[in-house]
Amino acid sequence: MGRMKFLCDAERCIECNGCVTACKNEHEVPWGVNRRRVVTMNDGVPGERSISVACMHCSDAPCMAVCPTDCFYKTEDGVVLHDKDQCIGCGYCFFACPFGAPQFPNGPSAFGARGKMDKCTFCAGGPEETGSEAEYEKYGSNRLAEGKLPLCAEMCSTKALLAGDASVVADIFRERVLRRGGGAEAWGWQTAYGGGEQRRERKQDREGQK
Amino acid sequence: MSMPVSKRIVTAAFAAALVGGLGACGEKSQVAVYEQGTYQGKADTAAWDGPAFKGDRAAWEAALKNRARGQNEYNRTE
Amino acid sequence: MLTKKSTVGTGVGRRLRSSAARLVGQTMDRRGFLKRSGLGVGAGAIASQLPYNFIGAAEAADAPVAAGAGDTVVRRTVCTHCSVGCAVDAVVKNGVWVRQEPVFDSPINLGAHCAKGASVREHGHGEHRLKYPMKLVDGKYQKISWEEAIEEVGDRLLKIREESGPDAVYWIGSSKHNNEQAYLLRKFVSFWGTNNTDHQARICHSTTVAGVANTWGYGAMTNSYNDMQNAKAMLFIGSNAAEAHPVSLLHILHAKENGAKMIVVDPRFTRTAAKAHQYIRIRSGTDVPFLFGLLYHIFQNGWEDRKYVEDRVFGMEAIREEVLAKWTPDMVEEACGVPEDQMLLAARTMAENRPSTIVWCMGQTQHTIGNAMVRASCILQLALGNIGKAGGGANIFRGHDNVQGATDVGPNPDSLPGYYGLATGSWKHWSNVWGVDYEWVKGRYASQELMEKSGITVSRWIDGVLEDKELIDQPGGKLRAVVYWGHAPNSQTRGAEMVEAMKALDTLVVIDPYPSATASMAAMVRKDGVYLLPAATQFETVGSATASNRSLQWREKVIEPLFESKPDHTIMYAFAKKFGWGEELVKNIKLEKDGHGWDEPNIEDILREINRGTWTIGYSGQSPERLKLHMKNMHTFDVKTLKAQGGPCDGEYFGLPWPCFGTPEMKHPGTPNLYDTSKHVMDGGGNFRANFGVERDGVSLLAGDGSASMGADLQMGYPEFDHLLLKKLGWWGELTDAEKAAAEGKNWKTDPSGGIIRVAMVNHGCHPFGNAKARAVVWNFPDAIPQHREPIYSPRPDMVAKYPTHDDKMKFWRLPTLYKSLQEKVKDISKEYPLVMTSGRLVEYEGGGEETRSNPWLAELQQEMFAEVNPKDANDAGFRNGDYIWVESPTKARLKVRAQVTQRVAPGTVFLPFHFSGWWQGEDMLKFYPEGAAPIVRGEAVNTATTYGYDAVTMMQETKTTLCRVSKA
């Protein structure tokens, strides 16, 4: 076992937002900060597809590379986390992220006034004592340390959103693809986990994140 | 808050690359050059080192694997 | 592209949230709790991993949840937001609901939730709830005590009863009450002395219940969400399951993944349509032409199941003649706009991929001819031989979490619990169950005639106030008081007239955790005479709820009632005491003191009373003990069949889906799929019901030979069982002496011993309700063969001439009801109001929406009321996406909403979600709300502008096809 990943199956996602409220519920994320959101393409016309998007915990995470204070770290199981005490709210990570994951409590304010960056932790807390009040206040609950997976995936209405060890997630997805004989695109996987290539130019994915 | 000089240069270069990329819209995309910094924050413990599993990584992995089964309804429908 | 329908700046929300935080009062949010207790999540998390049994044992001590520091328990409950019935594990620490965990073991939802289900823990915060009883004084809501509330409301209602009779008070019950509360309320209004009571089912699936029950016996979903995994084709017509029943898609997409074909028929390209193989856009309100158009191809190609029809269906030949003569492809295309090739493709898909199932919801039921549309759906499935088959069936998705249960045993104006009706014998049966004297109950009513006469429906209560006194078909005349007991006002049509009715009332009482929509509408037009009483939620009490698939699930109490709220049954008993018949109400029911010294009727005793009386639909076998056992052993049930394999529930179906016949001791396993002859009746098998006589026009109505349920001693059609049939068959001797004494002169529905049922089922494998044919022709309905009739407000005058509506009715559910006269009058109104106005659901909200719009996790996702308008109509009217627009209906009521310009709707159609309230024709109603009890998100209620129109059998309101025009605001 080693590598934690998310996978969203566009053939199954119905844009119900269960993942979004599960996240709010589990971590008491304040109004205006969305660690996870559902994106819909071709809204209202044939070809409509939805995808649940959050921090993908990239293999070669661009946020980690651009952070001027080096507040990011990657856990042994592949989860990208950050130290809020170290974060200066500069927003570089937001511009670097192909998924628009980093969130700022004060919105798109001027440099330094955005507040400390907040993002999906893969329900793995952060650099405070596991299960402590400080960890919960800053990063939310630490389900991974309880032997549980991110609540968004665990509660997904159609089990479109999968989380967990890469091999297990891939196995579940592969079985579905075989059954239906198509719909094999695991959205964002190439960007997040593929060959270390980063595709920072995909700014269109960030539209509406203000 | 102190920032290593080299890092500052790298981020500035990245920002410039980004602006350049925007300005040259339609041209071949430019890939920023950056280098990985070293984590400067507090140390964190591994998931299996918390109070629930007390360092028993095998037990933690088993728990997670079991949990992952809940995401696959084929386990219950075959 | 990444934005939701409304991505408004976060400023407003944050302001609201912080102002709400000041009003928290007694409650505590999780953050506050964690801070004060000095505990992190670790402790709770570890406790949540305890095996369920262990936790069950811990709570058996029955200590109040608030007691004992460090006391962490997991309470198993069920989401209260729709009829799927998703199980929830609530982690409760020191009486505070601190976490919500998925229940992977549940065979229904396997841990899955939609936005609403994943946010139910917010009920433990409840910041926007009504905190204490209030009354309207000089136009403002003021706090009063519970004692004052019961006294004052009680005195006012008693005075009205004295002056105008018991029928002058209208009691609107709730599909959000659990079974026990819904049942107790029907008993309560009976003892008050009226049938003027109703609940959400009237405006949700009343046409289904009537249409389907009259076709084959029971008015419910025949199969289950789970069983759809067995389907090879699925036709959705008037159902947007992806938004209205999201977790059902878990089973539906699983079926699709394994090869099932999916067809969606809807005027709107819904999110369900986005997942379909074939999407068919029909003109709103033309379901009969569409369904009969499919049958045309089925008959033409000989795809009907002849043997099945021969043995098990009455009247199909008449349907065949009608369809082939009237619903030729050109006529179908003219009526619903679907070309022949699309019709043929859909018909072929359904015929060649059997078992195929049909799903319908409010898109089909909420029409002036809803009763005919649902029967057309039934007939399609009968022709294909799909009813009574796994993977087939009529999968009618119900709305509220317990709307099925409230329909079955709750406050209905035309029936006592269990569809017993209102006949003298029914009253005697229930008086006997209740342990009260029939004559005493009769004395509570104004007369025996009124006791046996159906009451006014919730869809029409406003006419019970506004109609001319002489035209109201009850001696007391007008309604003078209305009690809204867990029901939104903005879910009923003609809102503009509703405020006039509210104004005219003597007294308006609202009992609800979130009474604010009614409260604000009333305060807008009144100065006094309005009372608000805070009810507890279903997470603050115990009881059973019936999911759409007829499974009953038991909810444990998660937390104590927040603020000053009280469970509905406690409030019922308090009023009963005030009215002078508290003792009669709880004759068989223990009373327990709650934390405030109030008497709370024991829920388990109420369920046992339901068990003892409800033989008709098999609510008799689901004892509290059996239901609890199922909740603890969810993992033993198979997901596809819902059957337990081994374990303590071995052989039973999850939640003992009704009918679960006989006594609990008879151990009937429940019925997963209705009318399924491939199984023995003691294994959940069955056949169509003999409820309409044994012969019609010289044709036998009993089923053909060899079409009985598996292993039945009578392998032919047979009538329902009573003492005479038992004697004739020579089976009477198999009753015990005690059973004989009880069953003498009775039938299977009224035999209080359950002996007739036991002998028929256990000893002889026969169905107690007989074995008959389903009816394709329902001769007791206005249109024995379903007919297309244009809605009253039709966009097509040419079609009105061809397919006119019914004649007016003078006395219909106690009220005059307009059809043809009004349709004639407004025949050309589509010149002024050219667009079809229709409404539907959003995944984030539920029902009237006050509860869900008060939940910040949901409210953030849909911050504004909107209308979907096709780009063509938007361009014609001169507005753009995101503009404020006016939507005006022929009533002249105007709605100010955001324009969502989208291809989702065709040119000529405007879609509005129906979950909003709190704006009135452009004005925010905030100042009319009780302080601190306004929902976070407010907006125009679509029903402020909806028009007149009611189903000709059930008084279902027309919401899906009316007219409007749009302009830039």
Side-chain angles (χ1 to χ4, degrees), chain A residues 72-85:
Chain A
F72 289 94
Y73 63 105
K74 187 180 290 246
T75 67
E76 215 176 306
D77 34 324
V79 179
V80 176
L81 298 173
H82 70 299
D83 185 339
K84 283 196 177 179
D85 295 343

Side-chain angles (χ1 to χ4, degrees), chain C residues 750-818:
Chain C
T750 53
D751 161 21
S753 72
I756 296 177
I757 292 175
R758 182 183 64 78
V759 169
M761 296 188 87
V762 179
N763 294 8
H764 299 285
C766 288
H767 206 303
F769 72 27
N771 176 22
K773 287 177 174 158
R775 297 192 299 172
V777 173
V778 177
W779 57 80
N780 48 320
F781 271 24
D783 288 325
I785 294 174
Q787 299 294 316
H788 174 60
R789 294 175 185 278
E790 280 291 306
I792 288 176
Y793 289 84
S794 168
R796 294 277 299 273
D798 58 322
M799 298 301 277
V800 170
K802 220 167 172 174
Y803 304 103
T805 189
H806 296 281
D807 293 327
D808 293 0
K809 295 167 188 270
M810 272 316 285
K811 291 179 180 178
F812 185 47
W813 300 85
R814 301 193 185 185
L815 286 165
T817 306
L818 303 178

Side-chain angles (χ1 to χ4, degrees), chain C residues 221 223-236 239 241 245 247-263 272 355-360 389-397 639-642 672-673:
Chain C
M221 179 170 179
N223 295 29
S224 66
Y225 297 108
N226 298 67
D227 181 66
M228 290 183 75
Q229 291 200 7
N230 296 311
K232 296 212 166 61
M234 305 173 275
L235 175 74
F236 296 77
S239 156
H245 306 87
V247 175
S248 71
L249 268 283
L250 175 60
H251 304 294
I252 291 160
L253 293 177
H254 183 94
K256 188 187 169 200
E257 209 157 272
N258 288 281
K261 297 281 181 281
M262 191 171 164
I263 307 166
T272 314
S356 46
T357 187
I358 189 167
V359 178
W360 75 79
K389 304 262 172 79
N395 281 308
I396 305 145
F397 294 0
V639 170
K640 263 189 179 163
T641 62
L642 289 175
N673 300 326

